[in-house]
Amino acid sequence: MKIEKLFVSLTVLLIFANSAAAKDIAENRYSIISTSFYLSKTVDSDKVKADFKVYAEGDNYNMALRRLTKINNNFLFFLKNLFPKQDIQTKDAYGYSKTAVVFVSIDSKKINKIASVLRYIANKNFQYKTGIKPINIRFIVSDRLKQAVKAVLFKKALNKAKMKLIVVNKILGGGYLISNLQIRFNPMYPVSYTMANSAKTLYRAGLARSNNQNMQLSPGTAKIKVNVELQMSRKMQEK
C-alpha cells in the first residue's frame, strides 16, 4: 500500500509539473534537451502455478468415478503434505460416457516442491486408463515482489534523471530544469512449461534430470525493465 501511495503521489506531482512546464514552453522561448534511458533488474521467480488433470475410465461413468475418486484422494493427500491447504484448488469433477475427470491447481510460493509432484506422477503405477497429466507449470514473479522491485527502479530512475540534469547544467552553464519526466514499466512474462501427456516425458519441456529420482525444474528469472524519457529546458534570454 505504501509503495502504491508513493507511485500515486509522484505521478500527481509530475503531472502538475509537466502541465505547468508545457504551458510555460508554449508561451516563452526555451532551450530544450531530450534524452531517454532504461533501467532493469533481473529477479528470480518466487511463485509457481501448476495445473493437473486427474482422469479415469471404466465400463460406465459410475465405475470411472469410483476409480477417479481413489486416485484423486491419494493425490490430494500427497499434495497437502507439501503445500498449505489454501494453495491447492480443485474443480468439480465432470464426466461423459465412461470417463471421469477432475482438475487440480496449485498456486504457491513453494516452487521447489513442484519437482516432488512430478516425481510422484512419473513413478506412480496407475491402473489401465487412469492417471494424472500435468497440463502446464508457470513460474512467475509475485505481485508483491514486482511492486518492491518497481519501487527500487522508480527511485533509481529519478536519481539518474537528477544526475543527468546536473551534468547538463555543468556543461551548458546552468539554468536547466526537468520539464518532463515519463517513467514506463515494460510488461513481464512468466516462465512457462507446456506439458506433454505424461510426467515421464517432461524433459522435453525443458527439464534437466538424470533419472526420475533426480528430476529438476528450472524456475528461471524475469527481467523488470523501466523506460525513462527525460526533457530538460531552460528559458532563453531575450536579446
Side-chain angles (χ1 to χ4, degrees), residues 36-69:
S36 62
F37 59 90
Y38 80 89
L39 300 170
S40 66
K41 184 175 178 62
T42 300
V43 295
D44 294 328
S45 302
D46 67 333
K47 198 171 185 181
V48 63
K49 292 186 178 182
D51 299 307
F52 302 89
K53 175 183 177 181
V54 186
Y55 67 95
E57 293 185 23
D59 293 340
N60 51 58
Y61 176 70
N62 287 334
M63 177 185 288
L65 185 59
R66 286 196 301 270
R67 301 178 79 186
L68 171 73
T69 300

Coordinates of all heavy atoms in Angstrom, one line a residue, residues 36-69:
S36 N 16.7 9.8 -23.4 CA 16.0 8.6 -22.8 C 17.0 7.6 -22.4 O 18.1 7.5 -22.9 CB 15.0 8.0 -23.9 OG 15.7 7.5 -25.0
F37 N 16.5 6.7 -21.5 CA 17.4 5.7 -21.0 C 16.5 4.6 -20.4 O 15.3 4.8 -20.2 CB 18.4 6.2 -20.0 CG 17.9 6.8 -18.8 CD1 17.6 6.1 -17.6 CD2 17.6 8.2 -18.7 CE1 17.0 6.7 -16.5 CE2 17.1 8.8 -17.6 CZ 16.8 8.1 -16.5
Y38 N 17.1 3.5 -20.1 CA 16.3 2.4 -19.4 C 17.1 1.8 -18.3 O 18.3 1.7 -18.3 CB 15.8 1.4 -20.4 CG 16.8 0.3 -20.8 CD1 16.9 -0.9 -20.1 CD2 17.6 0.5 -21.9 CE1 17.9 -1.8 -20.4 CE2 18.6 -0.4 -22.3 CZ 18.7 -1.6 -21.5 OH 19.6 -2.6 -21.9
L39 N 16.4 1.3 -17.3 CA 17.0 0.5 -16.2 C 16.3 -0.8 -16.1 O 15.1 -1.0 -16.5 CB 16.8 1.3 -14.9 CG 17.4 2.7 -14.8 CD1 16.9 3.4 -13.6 CD2 18.9 2.6 -14.9
S40 N 17.0 -1.8 -15.6 CA 16.3 -3.1 -15.5 C 16.9 -3.9 -14.3 O 18.0 -3.5 -13.8 CB 16.6 -4.0 -16.7 OG 17.9 -4.3 -16.9
K41 N 16.2 -4.8 -13.8 CA 16.6 -5.7 -12.7 C 16.1 -7.1 -12.9 O 14.9 -7.2 -13.2 CB 16.1 -5.1 -11.3 CG 16.6 -5.9 -10.1 CD 16.2 -5.3 -8.8 CE 16.6 -6.1 -7.6 NZ 18.1 -6.2 -7.6
T42 N 17.0 -8.0 -12.8 CA 16.6 -9.4 -13.0 C 16.3 -10.1 -11.7 O 17.1 -10.0 -10.7 CB 17.7 -10.2 -13.7 OG1 17.9 -9.6 -15.0 CG2 17.3 -11.7 -13.9
V43 N 15.2 -10.7 -11.5 CA 14.8 -11.3 -10.3 C 14.4 -12.8 -10.5 O 14.0 -13.2 -11.6 CB 13.6 -10.6 -9.6 CG1 14.0 -9.2 -9.2 CG2 12.4 -10.6 -10.6
D44 N 14.6 -13.6 -9.5 CA 14.2 -15.0 -9.5 C 12.7 -15.1 -9.4 O 12.1 -14.4 -8.6 CB 14.9 -15.8 -8.4 CG 16.4 -15.8 -8.6 OD1 16.9 -15.8 -9.8 OD2 17.1 -15.9 -7.6
S45 N 12.1 -16.0 -10.1 CA 10.7 -16.3 -9.9 C 10.5 -16.8 -8.5 O 11.3 -17.6 -7.9 CB 10.2 -17.4 -10.9 OG 10.5 -17.0 -12.2
D46 N 9.4 -16.3 -7.8 CA 9.2 -16.7 -6.4 C 7.8 -17.3 -6.2 O 7.4 -17.5 -5.1 CB 9.3 -15.4 -5.5 CG 8.2 -14.4 -5.8 OD1 7.7 -14.4 -6.9 OD2 7.9 -13.7 -4.8
K47 N 7.2 -17.7 -7.3 CA 5.8 -18.3 -7.2 C 5.6 -19.3 -8.4 O 6.2 -19.1 -9.5 CB 4.8 -17.2 -7.2 CG 3.4 -17.7 -6.7 CD 2.5 -16.5 -6.5 CE 1.2 -16.9 -5.9 NZ 0.2 -15.7 -5.7
V48 N 4.8 -20.3 -8.1 CA 4.5 -21.3 -9.2 C 3.0 -21.5 -9.2 O 2.3 -21.5 -8.2 CB 5.3 -22.6 -8.9 CG1 4.8 -23.3 -7.6 CG2 5.1 -23.6 -10.0
K49 N 2.5 -21.6 -10.5 CA 1.2 -22.0 -10.7 C 1.2 -23.3 -11.6 O 1.8 -23.2 -12.7 CB 0.4 -20.9 -11.4 CG 0.2 -19.7 -10.5 CD -0.7 -18.6 -11.2 CE -0.9 -17.4 -10.2 NZ -1.8 -16.4 -10.8
A50 N 0.5 -24.3 -11.2 CA 0.6 -25.6 -11.9 C -0.8 -26.2 -12.0 O -1.6 -26.1 -11.0 CB 1.5 -26.5 -11.2
D51 N -1.2 -26.8 -13.1 CA -2.5 -27.4 -13.3 C -2.3 -28.9 -13.7 O -1.4 -29.2 -14.5 CB -3.3 -26.7 -14.4 CG -3.5 -25.2 -14.0 OD1 -4.1 -25.0 -12.9 OD2 -3.2 -24.3 -14.8
F52 N -3.1 -29.7 -13.1 CA -3.0 -31.2 -13.4 C -4.4 -31.7 -13.7 O -5.4 -31.2 -13.1 CB -2.4 -31.9 -12.2 CG -1.1 -31.4 -11.8 CD1 -0.9 -30.4 -10.9 CD2 0.1 -32.0 -12.3 CE1 0.3 -30.0 -10.5 CE2 1.3 -31.6 -12.0 CZ 1.5 -30.6 -11.0
K53 N -4.5 -32.7 -14.5 CA -5.7 -33.4 -14.9 C -5.7 -34.8 -14.3 O -4.8 -35.6 -14.7 CB -5.9 -33.4 -16.4 CG -7.1 -34.2 -16.9 CD -7.1 -34.2 -18.4 CE -8.3 -35.0 -18.9 NZ -8.3 -35.1 -20.4
V54 N -6.6 -35.1 -13.5 CA -6.8 -36.4 -12.9 C -8.0 -37.1 -13.7 O -9.0 -36.5 -13.7 CB -7.1 -36.4 -11.4 CG1 -7.0 -37.8 -10.8 CG2 -6.0 -35.5 -10.7
Y55 N -7.7 -38.3 -14.2 CA -8.8 -38.9 -15.0 C -8.8 -40.4 -14.8 O -7.9 -41.0 -14.3 CB -8.5 -38.6 -16.5 CG -7.2 -39.4 -17.0 CD1 -7.3 -40.6 -17.6 CD2 -6.0 -38.8 -16.8 CE1 -6.2 -41.3 -18.1 CE2 -4.8 -39.4 -17.3 CZ -4.9 -40.7 -17.9 OH -3.8 -41.3 -18.3
A56 N -10.0 -41.0 -15.2 CA -10.2 -42.4 -15.1 C -11.3 -42.8 -16.0 O -12.3 -42.1 -16.2 CB -10.5 -42.8 -13.6
E57 N -11.1 -44.0 -16.6 CA -12.2 -44.6 -17.4 C -12.7 -45.9 -16.8 O -11.9 -46.5 -16.0 CB -11.7 -44.9 -18.9 CG -11.3 -43.6 -19.6 CD -10.9 -43.9 -21.1 OE1 -11.3 -45.0 -21.6 OE2 -10.2 -43.1 -21.7
G58 N -13.9 -46.3 -17.1 CA -14.4 -47.5 -16.6 C -15.5 -48.1 -17.6 O -15.7 -47.6 -18.7
D59 N -16.1 -49.2 -17.2 CA -17.2 -49.8 -18.0 C -18.3 -48.8 -18.2 O -19.1 -48.9 -19.2 CB -17.6 -51.1 -17.4 CG -16.5 -52.2 -17.5 OD1 -15.6 -52.0 -18.3 OD2 -16.6 -53.1 -16.7
N60 N -18.5 -48.0 -17.1 CA -19.6 -46.9 -17.2 C -19.1 -45.8 -16.3 O -18.0 -45.8 -15.7 CB -20.9 -47.5 -16.6 CG -20.7 -48.1 -15.3 OD1 -20.3 -47.5 -14.3 ND2 -21.1 -49.4 -15.2
Y61 N -19.9 -44.7 -16.3 CA -19.4 -43.5 -15.6 C -19.2 -43.7 -14.1 O -18.3 -43.2 -13.5 CB -20.4 -42.3 -15.9 CG -20.0 -41.1 -15.1 CD1 -18.8 -40.4 -15.5 CD2 -20.7 -40.7 -14.0 CE1 -18.4 -39.2 -14.8 CE2 -20.3 -39.5 -13.3 CZ -19.2 -38.8 -13.7 OH -18.8 -37.7 -13.0
N62 N -20.1 -44.4 -13.5 CA -20.0 -44.6 -12.1 C -18.8 -45.4 -11.7 O -18.1 -45.1 -10.7 CB -21.3 -45.4 -11.6 CG -22.5 -44.6 -11.6 OD1 -22.4 -43.3 -11.5 ND2 -23.7 -45.2 -11.7
M63 N -18.4 -46.4 -12.5 CA -17.2 -47.1 -12.3 C -16.0 -46.2 -12.5 O -15.0 -46.2 -11.7 CB -17.0 -48.3 -13.2 CG -15.7 -49.0 -13.1 SD -15.5 -50.4 -14.3 CE -16.7 -51.5 -13.6
A64 N -16.0 -45.3 -13.5 CA -14.9 -44.4 -13.8 C -14.8 -43.4 -12.6 O -13.7 -43.1 -12.2 CB -15.2 -43.6 -15.1
L65 N -15.9 -43.0 -12.0 CA -15.9 -42.0 -10.9 C -15.3 -42.7 -9.7 O -14.5 -42.0 -9.0 CB -17.3 -41.5 -10.7 CG -17.4 -40.4 -9.6 CD1 -16.6 -39.2 -10.0 CD2 -18.9 -40.0 -9.4
R66 N -15.6 -43.9 -9.4 CA -15.0 -44.6 -8.3 C -13.5 -44.7 -8.4 O -12.8 -44.5 -7.5 CB -15.7 -46.0 -8.1 CG -17.1 -46.0 -7.6 CD -17.5 -47.4 -7.1 NE -17.4 -48.4 -8.2 CZ -18.4 -48.7 -9.0 NH1 -19.6 -48.0 -8.9 NH2 -18.3 -49.6 -9.9
R67 N -13.1 -45.1 -9.6 CA -11.6 -45.2 -9.8 C -10.9 -43.8 -9.7 O -9.8 -43.7 -9.1 CB -11.3 -45.8 -11.2 CG -12.0 -47.1 -11.4 CD -11.7 -47.6 -12.8 NE -10.3 -48.2 -13.0 CZ -9.8 -48.6 -14.1 NH1 -10.5 -48.4 -15.3 NH2 -8.6 -49.0 -14.2
L68 N -11.6 -42.8 -10.2 CA -11.1 -41.4 -10.1 C -10.9 -41.0 -8.7 O -9.9 -40.4 -8.3 CB -11.9 -40.5 -10.9 CG -11.6 -39.0 -10.8 CD1 -10.3 -38.6 -11.5 CD2 -12.8 -38.1 -11.3
T69 N -12.0 -41.2 -7.9 CA -12.0 -40.7 -6.5 C -10.8 -41.3 -5.7 O -10.2 -40.5 -5.0 CB -13.3 -41.2 -5.8 OG1 -14.4 -40.6 -6.6 CG2 -13.4 -40.7 -4.4

